[in-house]
Amino acid sequence: MRDNVKLVLLSVLSAACILLFLFYDSGSDLAFILPERGAKVGAMVITGIAVAYSAVIFQTISFNRILTPSVMGFDAVYLFLQTTALFIFGSGGFMMVNEVFNFGISAAALMLFTFFLYRLIFVRNGNVFFLMLVGVVMWTLFRSLTVFMQMLIDPNEFAVVQDAMFASFNNVRVDLLGVSAAVIIAVALYCIPMFRKLDVMLLGREHAVSLGIAYDNLVKKSLIVITLLVAVSTALVGQMTFLGIIVSNLAYESMKTYKHSYVIACSALYSVIAIVGGQFVIERVFYFNITVSVVINFVGGLYFMYLLTKESK
């Protein structure tokens, strides 16, 4: 009952943040202001849900609450793909101009990367930790190749890559909102039957298998879900590395239950509040002198250090 009350309170707070962002100091120009602010809010809500979903599910299959999907190299693969397209075709290339096509290619590339990790690494080894270790190595490889190409491209075109390197809600890709929303809804509906199985997975591989869970198949489905969510959030606004750590651990502390239906909902609400509220403060208090991703990554880095210290004790 307490968890339900907490979810209601977080829902009210997130709705208040959204309404404040939409209507604060709007004046009489609602017809002009609301579409622009509405696109920002849509991008922030979609990103918040995607980051929260992917972080909680990834932490479940990795049995670690201080890891995010970025450790597998998904962000690095996306940035490598964008840099490669810019390096070969230039900023006027079809992939860089057509955002929907870019999103489709990026999602397909991430799916292939996930298939590679699952089929060649996890199926043969069966160890999630070894899978993550390979992911870290691949992250280093793709990151190094990306930096190498960034040193060779034209400095004027490097600004295009920078948009993908840092999350920003000031120039939302409106063409991707519909596609992103459709992917998020489809993934959310697909995940609902998985929640109970993920609850059992928290007991560990041996206990989950003994209770009838098809462990390897569930890991494969989870990786597909994580890949789609990371592709949506990264393609829409850019990378937000530490947001998943913050909202997921806040949800673990807030919810006195292990059930994913509560934890994911709570973390998604925390994520929406953090992004929308943070963007409102950035625009109205700091007047765009900094970006919300910088603040979130700074706070997330400090929180990450706190979690490491807490776990060591």
Side-chain angles (χ1 to χ4, degrees):
M1 189 66 182
R2 292 180 180 178
D3 290 335
N4 291 329
V5 173
K6 291 176 183 178
L7 288 179
V8 172
L9 292 176
L10 288 174
S11 300
V12 172
L13 183 57
S14 61
C17 290
I18 292 173
L19 292 175
L20 182 64
F21 185 88
L22 286 174
F23 296 103
Y24 179 81
D25 196 24
S26 59
S28 59
D29 298 328
L30 289 176
F32 174 76
I33 292 177
L34 279 184
E36 180 184 357
R37 292 185 181 180
K40 285 186 179 182
V41 168
M44 287 187 279
V45 171
I46 290 172
T47 302
I49 295 174
V51 170
Y53 250 89
S54 60
V56 173
I57 295 176
F58 183 79
Q59 289 166 2
T60 297
I61 66 175
S62 63
F63 305 104
N64 195 311
R65 292 186 175 183
I66 60 174
L67 295 180
T68 60
S70 60
V71 75
M72 295 292 294
F74 293 126
D75 295 345
V77 172
Y78 174 80
L79 191 57
F80 169 76
L81 182 64
Q82 299 301 310
T83 307
T84 302
L86 184 66
F87 181 78
I88 297 176
F89 304 108
S91 58
F94 182 73
M95 182 172 174
M96 305 306 297
V97 174
N98 192 311
E99 295 177 346
V100 177
F101 178 77
N102 190 328
F103 174 79
I105 294 296
S106 300
L110 288 174
M111 294 296 292
L112 288 175
F113 178 68
T114 302
F115 178 79
F116 163 77
L117 290 178
Y118 178 80
R119 294 292 298 177
L120 299 183
I121 306 299
F122 184 76
V123 171
R124 295 185 178 183
N125 187 273
N127 192 318
V128 173
F129 301 105
F130 184 73
L131 178 68
M132 289 188 291
L133 178 61
V134 174
V136 172
V137 174
M138 298 300 290
W139 179 90
T140 305
L141 172 63
F142 285 114
R143 192 70 179 179
S144 300
L145 293 174
T146 301
V147 172
F148 173 73
M149 285 188 292
Q150 288 175 353
M151 297 293 293
L152 298 178
I153 63 177
D154 186 273
N156 296 322
E157 295 187 335
F158 179 72
V160 179
V161 180
Q162 278 187 313
D163 291 338
M165 293 173 61
F166 304 100
S168 175
F169 297 96
N170 297 326
N171 296 312
V172 176
R173 301 176 180 179
V174 180
D175 293 341
L176 296 180
L177 283 178
V179 178
S180 301
V183 173
I184 291 296
I185 293 173
V187 170
L189 294 176
Y190 178 78
C191 284
I192 291 176
M194 292 173 53
F195 285 162
R196 291 185 178 181
K197 296 179 181 179
L198 291 171
D199 294 341
V200 178
M201 185 181 281
L202 291 173
L203 299 173
R205 180 191 179 100
E206 291 76 14
H207 292 89
V209 172
S210 65
L211 291 172
I213 300 298
Y215 183 84
D216 293 351
N217 187 47
L218 185 58
V219 169
K220 179 182 68 174
K221 292 180 179 179
S222 300
L223 287 175
I224 293 173
V225 167
I226 292 169
T227 302
L228 289 173
L229 294 173
V230 170
V232 167
S233 61
T234 308
L236 193 59
V237 298
Q239 302 180 62
M240 301 191 74
T241 305
F242 286 105
L243 179 62
I245 295 177
I246 298 174
V247 298
S248 60
N249 282 276
L250 286 176
Y252 295 138
E253 295 295 332
S254 300
M255 296 289 105
K256 302 304 179 183
T257 179
Y258 61 89
K259 293 183 178 180
H260 281 76
S261 56
Y262 283 89
V263 174
I264 289 179
C266 183
S267 60
L269 290 171
Y270 273 128
S271 187
V272 172
I273 293 170
I275 297 176
V276 178
Q279 185 67 23
F280 178 82
V281 173
I282 293 301
E283 293 185 6
R284 303 301 171 182
V285 179
F286 295 101
Y287 301 103
F288 297 99
N289 288 323
I290 55 177
T291 61
V292 67
S293 62
V294 173
V295 176
I296 289 176
N297 287 335
F298 174 73
V299 175
L302 295 178
Y303 189 55
F304 180 74
M305 297 299 295
Y306 163 75
L307 291 174
L308 290 178
T309 306
K310 179 182 176 182
E311 291 297 325
S312 65
K313 294 181 180 180

